[in-house]
Amino acid sequence: MLNFEELLKPENMPESFEDYLERYANPVGDAVNEFIPKGSHPDMERYLYGPMLHYSRNGGKRHRPLICFAACLAVGGNPERALSAAAAIEHFHTAALIHDDIADEAQLRRGEPCMHLTEGLGLAINMGDLGLQLVNGTVVKDEALDDHVKVRVLTELIEMTRRTIEGQALDIGWARDGRYDISPEDYLIMATHKTAHYSGAVPLAIGAIVGGGTETQIECLRNYGLDTGLAFQIQDDLLNLVGKAESTKKGFRDDITEGKRTLVVVHALQNLSGAERERLVELLSSHTADEAELAEAVDLMNRSGSIEYARNYAENLSSIAKNRLVDMIDPSPARDMLVSMADWFVSRLK
């Protein structure tokens, strides 16, 4: 189980974000999974809680709850008090992935067949709904938080959910309507709403709120999470295109198959012309899974300078965000580790 006494000792804080993830991802996973209830009927286990627990156990790096704890520490708080909120964000992430894979008709998630393929569409939707219910329920029942803090945390979680749904609406709508007039600015709005709030800004802001941080500290950490969360998404899109096939458990280059409007894609569509642009649109519209055609699409994006553009955008965003964080948050091992987070977010292709 997660040892919060160990986390509270500055000398135990890993120097790098990668080490932090490796040391604490599994115990954090165990801790957040304790919030998944058990059913009052055996078939509830079979059709709901059991598959949900199996899915959540295959939970990746757990960076969202871990940065929530780090933000709490960075403002001088006790991360144990942030556990229910951190679990809420992680279960929201689970719900978002289950529903996102259904909308995208995806095949793989974390190296395994998607939930809607193993359990069926109806049960998968229902399990995603359970994840959403756990978002507010975990915090409401937390006796360690006073009512004022609960209201603030719940308000953050409600706004996070709305913004993510707004971003998802843009992402799905553009694909449904075959929109290829999307600009990089449009993409940045979509990705900020869909990913940056719940993958960066809200975990950090909530950690600071629970930790008793000042309003200045809370907003500084929120803005840091917005910038680094956006960089994380851009880099995730790049990893899908030009990483190694074995390094992505979602499915290599399936963003092309799904016709995703990533920053790389929208920049390429603005900078290619004539037959090259028409060919990229054709490939994105065809839902191809052919390796040669996927490679052709990546080559077009590379020739337009879009891969380098996206990589530079993410790196610059992270660099500026780090400087702001250092200026506004007092030095501590937790702050230094959060600075390291920005480097890790944009170095996963190297």
Side-chain angles (χ1 to χ4, degrees):
M1 292 297 293
L2 185 61
N3 186 338
F4 284 102
E5 288 187 5
E6 179 184 349
L7 264 178
L8 279 166
K9 296 177 181 178
E11 63 271 21
N12 289 333
M13 178 60 67
E15 292 185 3
S16 76
F17 189 67
E18 186 172 7
D19 290 343
Y20 183 53
L21 296 179
E22 289 180 0
R23 182 182 301 181
Y24 292 114
N26 288 335
V28 165
D30 292 339
V32 301
N33 286 337
E34 289 294 318
F35 289 88
I36 298 176
K38 296 186 181 298
S40 59
H41 187 284
D43 284 346
M44 291 181 188
E45 293 298 316
R46 167 63 189 91
Y47 298 126
L48 180 60
Y49 297 115
M52 182 72 162
L53 182 58
H54 173 80
Y55 187 92
S56 187
R57 281 174 174 164
N58 185 28
K61 299 290 188 181
R62 308 289 187 186
H63 93 257
R64 293 163 185 85
L66 280 168
I67 65 174
C68 184
F69 297 146
C72 188
L73 283 165
V75 300
N78 181 351
E80 189 168 9
R81 298 185 73 245
L83 177 57
S84 65
I89 295 166
E90 186 68 3
H91 290 308
F92 176 82
H93 178 51
T94 292
L97 294 183
I98 292 172
H99 287 163
D100 194 39
D101 287 341
I102 293 169
D104 293 341
E105 299 181 356
Q107 301 295 307
L108 280 178
R109 174 65 67 181
R110 297 167 176 163
E112 294 186 1
C114 292
M115 178 75 77
H116 60 278
L117 299 179
T118 59
E119 298 296 330
L121 183 60
L123 287 176
I125 292 172
N126 203 45
M127 277 176 257
D129 292 344
L130 171 64
L132 294 176
Q133 183 276 327
L134 291 172
V135 174
N136 294 328
T138 58
V139 175
V140 168
K141 296 176 183 177
D142 189 347
E143 297 179 357
L145 300 178
D146 61 44
D147 289 345
H148 172 71
V149 172
K150 281 185 184 180
V151 170
R152 286 204 66 177
V153 170
L154 289 171
T155 300
E156 292 284 343
L157 293 172
I158 290 167
E159 287 297 300
M160 174 194 77
T161 301
R162 177 179 62 83
R163 289 186 179 112
T164 306
I165 292 169
E166 289 172 342
Q168 180 76 329
L170 295 178
D171 197 23
I172 296 172
W174 292 339
R176 186 199 70 178
D177 292 346
R179 295 280 301 278
Y180 293 104
D181 60 339
I182 308 304
S183 68
E185 292 73 24
D186 294 324
Y187 166 86
L188 294 171
I189 291 172
M190 181 276 291
T192 297
H193 281 245
K194 181 178 176 179
T195 302
H197 281 285
Y198 94 85
S199 290
V202 173
L204 291 175
I206 285 179
I209 289 168
V210 174
T214 66
E215 294 304 314
T216 298
Q217 289 173 323
I218 292 166
E219 292 312 308
C220 172
L221 286 160
R222 184 195 309 281
N223 290 331
Y224 183 68
L226 280 175
D227 289 341
T228 55
L230 181 55
F232 176 84
Q233 182 59 57
I234 294 169
Q235 199 75 349
D236 217 43
D237 295 339
L238 284 166
L239 190 63
N240 187 273
L241 295 177
V242 296
K244 296 179 180 178
E246 63 271 17
S247 68
T248 175
K249 294 183 178 181
K250 181 178 179 290
F252 188 51
R253 293 181 173 171
D254 61 358
D255 282 354
I256 301 171
T257 305
E258 296 167 15
K260 290 283 187 182
R261 273 65 169 172
T262 64
L263 184 60
V264 179
V265 165
V266 299
H267 182 272
L269 290 172
Q270 279 199 335
N271 287 274
L272 292 172
S273 59
E276 287 187 326
R277 187 181 189 279
E278 290 178 8
R279 179 56 177 161
L280 182 57
V281 169
E282 180 183 1
L283 291 167
L284 292 167
S285 303
S286 69
H287 302 293
T288 181
D290 180 80
E291 290 186 9
E293 290 187 330
L294 296 176
E296 181 185 358
V298 171
D299 184 59
L300 286 167
M301 296 178 210
N302 198 35
R303 290 211 300 272
S304 67
S306 302
I307 289 173
E308 190 65 21
Y309 167 82
R311 183 183 287 113
N312 289 339
Y313 194 100
E315 290 178 350
N316 290 337
L317 198 61
S318 291
S319 178
I320 293 169
K322 285 193 301 181
N323 291 334
R324 288 176 181 161
L325 186 72
V326 169
D327 287 342
M328 299 187 71
I329 301 295
D330 291 339
S332 70
R335 188 204 68 176
D336 293 343
M337 197 278 303
L338 284 173
V339 170
S340 172
M341 176 188 83
D343 295 327
W344 182 80
F345 276 2
V346 298
S347 67
R348 289 172 295 149
L349 287 178
K350 297 176 182 178

